[in-house]
Amino acid sequence: MTIGRVNPNFRLEDQGIAKAGTVHYNLTEPALVEEALKRGEGTLGRGGALLVTTGKFTGRSPRDKHVVRTPDVADHIWWDNNAEMSPEGFDALHADMLAHLEGRDLFVQDLVGGADPAYSIDVRVITELAWHGLFIRHLLRRPERAALDRFTADCTVINAPSFRADPERHGCRSDTVIAMNFEKKIILIGGTEYAGENKKSVFTLLNYILPEKGIMPMHCSANHAPGNPVDTAGFFGLSGTGKTTLSADPERVLIGDDEHGWSDRGTFNFEGGCYAKTINLSPEAEPEIYATTRKFGTVIENMVFDPETLELDFDDDSLTANMRCAYPLDYISNASDTALGGHPKNVIMLTCDAFGVLPPIARLSPAQAMYHFLSGFTSKVAGTERGVTEPEPTFSTCFGAPFMPRRPEVYGNLLREKIAKHGATCWLVNTGWTGGAYGTGSRMPIKATRALLSAALDGSLSEAEFRKDPNFGFDVPVDVPGVAEVLLDPRRTWDDPDAYDVQARKLVQMFADNFEKYVPYIDEDVKAAALG
């Protein structure tokens, strides 16, 4: 039995599933919400939001992600960072997963990754859960109804949360698996209900495909000045560093909150929606994102709520600190209609420094920008990955190592070329701790961060007086209107300046030790930047 808008060129048998239960094709949001509720997958919340939990897994499982080692990709994959799977193991996994889905109800969504039609890919997502269909319908881009009749998938994602992999038979690490076959353009996800695996798998695929076309895939949010897409800014950063919050600036047009490409034509969003963290979300600090939690069809993931009033508790992290909401981009009032922008005029690298050493903002030279991009220093925030319960200092190259199938230098050189060609100004912004390390200091005031970013984006910060940072050699502003002067000099925010110096030396050494592995692949000016 089939329900919904069926693509005449698509047969489930062609996917390898000989017989299924009811197959729901390209259901729209109301139908997906209805199906999810009918199946007991969630609860209807205030305003028609869908409240769901993801069970055992409330974050990504990066150690369970595998790339299939086929001859055409073997020389291009960064195997130190990507666990391999044999073609035989993948084929067995694929066959077993398809057999597992026999007779089950399925939800099929035909969607698009990439707002620029010159570089977009058509993605078919097949899953057991109606709410996963709703989630990915928000997060990828929805083609026009007429386009579904001629839709041909460039990539197929099959997600079976109830399936359990066999490590011995399939060559994976555990019974949870994310297996990516770039040759066959098939992605298999099993053993986890965490919906973020769906979108990040497509991002990883684009990170493999696009560099060959001269396009820089970026784990970043982006916005532009009203009426002026040429004035575009990109915000690099891992989850929890503020990509979504800081790009949702009411004074600028939101292009997207997480994943973009930078081509010779400009910036384009990969996605059609946002996946925002909701821990401590407030209507005062983030009114637009807060408002989405009461809009129809928004997926509210792993949030505690009152069973009678359905009021959400934004402070209760007993399920996870990685509580999130997923919603279409047009739920943000100042979102771009096209999800396209110009070449970034400003490139912002966001870091959450748990050591309390880095200043709230610093200006980077092109060589320093590549150094900090390859370093990708931040702190893993509680809940984003399994096992992380408090901020943990880490280096995640390109500000997104788990999603980078190619070697970091590929992306670093692309970024450097784009910056040089288009004259972007680069900034390092610390949204982490000030006045001491985690446990002693406090989080950087968001009002100060916003003021500094506004000054950077309107060009006034470039006219400020700068000092040379003694630890990293980048330029730090001395005085910025609206920001306490002491905040700009992190050493002065500590009660014990000598303790700051000890912490700073420790962090500098961590950077140096981490960067050793890139030294054989970089130019002399980047090596010089590494030495401060």
Side-chain angles (χ1 to χ4, degrees):
M1 179 179 177
T2 60
I3 297 175
R5 179 71 173 240
V6 182
N7 181 336
N9 301 316
F10 171 69
R11 297 187 314 151
L12 196 64
E13 294 86 347
D14 294 338
Q15 306 297 316
I17 303 174
K19 184 180 180 181
T22 300
V23 183
H24 303 263
Y25 291 93
N26 295 311
L27 297 189
T28 57
E29 292 79 359
L32 287 166
V33 170
E34 185 178 10
E35 286 294 332
L37 295 174
K38 186 166 64 177
R39 294 161 187 273
E41 295 177 6
T43 301
L44 192 65
R46 304 284 290 250
L50 183 66
L51 314 180
V52 301
T53 56
T54 62
K56 178 181 177 182
F57 301 115
T58 57
R60 290 181 291 101
S61 301
R63 294 180 62 202
D64 293 310
K65 188 173 181 179
H66 301 263
V67 173
V68 181
R69 192 180 193 112
T70 52
D72 61 332
V73 307
D75 294 336
H76 305 290
I77 300 297
W78 181 24
W79 293 113
D80 291 344
N81 184 63
N82 293 271
E84 68 177 85
M85 177 180 283
S86 70
E88 296 77 18
F90 179 86
D91 290 344
L93 175 67
H94 191 196
D96 291 348
M97 187 175 286
L98 295 179
H100 176 81
L101 294 174
E102 294 282 344
R104 296 174 184 265
D105 293 352
L106 299 173
F107 294 85
V108 180
Q109 286 285 321
D110 290 337
L111 301 163
V112 176
D116 188 333
Y119 307 114
S120 64
I121 62 171
D122 292 337
V123 182
R124 175 165 292 130
V125 181
I126 303 171
T127 184
E128 296 178 284
L129 298 174
W131 82 262
H132 271 198
L134 178 64
F135 171 92
I136 202 64
R137 185 171 173 83
H138 288 336
L139 267 297
L140 290 182
R141 303 187 63 79
R142 299 159 292 283
E144 296 293 330
R145 297 287 287 175
L148 294 176
D149 291 337
R150 58 180 184 275
F151 186 97
T152 301
D154 299 311
C155 168
T156 300
V157 179
I158 302 175
N159 189 327
S162 65
F163 176 81
R164 296 292 179 268
D166 180 342
E168 185 173 342
R169 174 171 164 78
H170 302 134
C172 50
R173 190 187 71 91
S174 74
D175 61 6
T176 298
V177 66
I178 302 96
M180 313 196 64
N181 192 319
F182 293 135
E183 182 181 74
K184 292 187 174 182
K185 300 295 193 298
I186 296 174
I187 300 169
L188 305 176
I189 304 172
T192 174
E193 290 187 34
Y194 182 65
E197 299 289 12
N198 294 287
K199 84 182 210 90
K200 289 303 185 185
S201 67
V202 176
F203 181 40
T204 304
L205 176 64
L206 287 166
N207 283 342
Y208 180 74
I209 293 173
L210 293 180
E212 289 185 341
K213 301 178 180 180
I215 299 168
M216 174 64 190
M218 304 180 291
H219 188 210
C220 78
S221 56
N223 61 27
H224 67 72
N228 185 15
V230 172
D231 186 2
T232 292
F235 302 76
F236 286 91
L238 289 173
S239 297
T241 55
K243 291 195 316 300
T244 298
T245 298
L246 295 172
S247 60
D249 182 340
E251 302 302 317
R252 293 175 66 85
V253 177
L254 178 67
I255 301 172
D257 85 320
D258 197 41
E259 299 162 4
H260 292 79
W262 186 353
S263 73
D264 287 340
R265 295 152 59 101
T267 306
F268 62 99
N269 191 358
F270 289 166
E271 301 181 296
C274 301
Y275 191 32
K277 295 194 75 169
T278 56
I279 182 73
N280 304 133
L281 190 66
S282 73
E284 295 77 26
E286 298 167 277
E288 290 269 20
I289 299 174
Y290 185 89
T292 69
T293 64
R294 294 194 177 195
K295 291 191 176 183
F296 180 81
T298 292
V299 177
I300 306 291
E301 198 177 70
N302 294 319
M303 285 193 70
V304 174
F305 60 91
D306 187 295
E308 294 184 7
T309 66
L310 300 175
E311 287 287 346
L312 300 170
D313 190 333
F314 293 89
D315 301 315
D316 188 338
D317 62 358
S318 57
L319 290 178
T320 178
N322 195 36
M323 56 180 77
R324 290 181 180 263
C325 61
Y327 50 88
L329 198 60
D330 60 17
Y331 276 12
I332 301 296
S333 62
N334 62 329
S336 167
D337 292 333
T338 64
L340 301 173
H343 299 289
K345 185 177 178 182
N346 287 279
V347 171
I348 294 101
M349 298 181 187
L350 301 169
T351 180
C352 176
D353 173 21
F355 284 84
V357 168
L358 295 175
I361 196 166
R363 185 174 60 191
L364 306 176
S365 69
Q368 289 170 336
M370 185 171 179
Y371 173 68
H372 283 277
F373 180 70
L374 290 177
S375 297
F377 170 70
T378 189
S379 301
K380 290 181 181 177
V381 178
T384 303
E385 292 182 10
R386 285 191 285 153
V388 179
T389 58
E390 62 182 42
E392 178 182 299
T394 189
F395 290 88
S396 185
T397 189
C398 308
F399 294 100
F403 325 119
M404 302 299 164
R406 296 177 182 270
R407 280 202 57 85
E409 303 82 34
V410 173
Y411 307 104
N413 285 326
L414 268 172
L415 180 64
R416 187 178 183 184
E417 290 167 10
K418 299 289 186 187
I419 289 171
K421 183 175 182 180
H422 302 289
T425 302
C426 300
W427 307 91
L428 182 70
V429 172
N430 175 24
T431 61
W433 274 258
T434 183
Y438 170 77
T440 302
S442 57
R443 282 301 292 263
M444 195 71 67
I446 191 169
K447 287 182 66 175
T449 301
R450 287 191 184 280
L452 290 167
L453 279 174
S454 294
L457 297 182
D458 68 20
S460 61
L461 187 57
S462 293
E463 305 302 317
E465 179 186 352
F466 287 82
R467 65 177 177 85
K468 191 73 68 175
D469 182 84
N471 299 306
F472 290 94
F474 42 49
D475 293 335
V476 181
V478 173
D479 183 32
V480 179
V483 179
E485 184 182 338
V486 66
L487 200 65
L488 297 169
D489 186 350
R491 189 174 188 270
R492 291 172 57 198
T493 67
W494 283 52
D495 292 336
D496 183 351
D498 291 337
Y500 170 86
D501 292 337
V502 171
Q503 192 82 308
R505 286 194 294 270
K506 180 179 177 182
L507 183 59
V508 168
Q509 190 60 51
M510 286 179 64
F511 266 85
D513 292 344
N514 171 75
F515 205 76
E516 278 295 320
K517 56 183 172 288
Y518 304 122
V519 170
Y521 306 99
I522 59 173
D523 295 336
E524 291 302 319
D525 57 343
V526 181
K527 292 178 184 177
L531 297 173

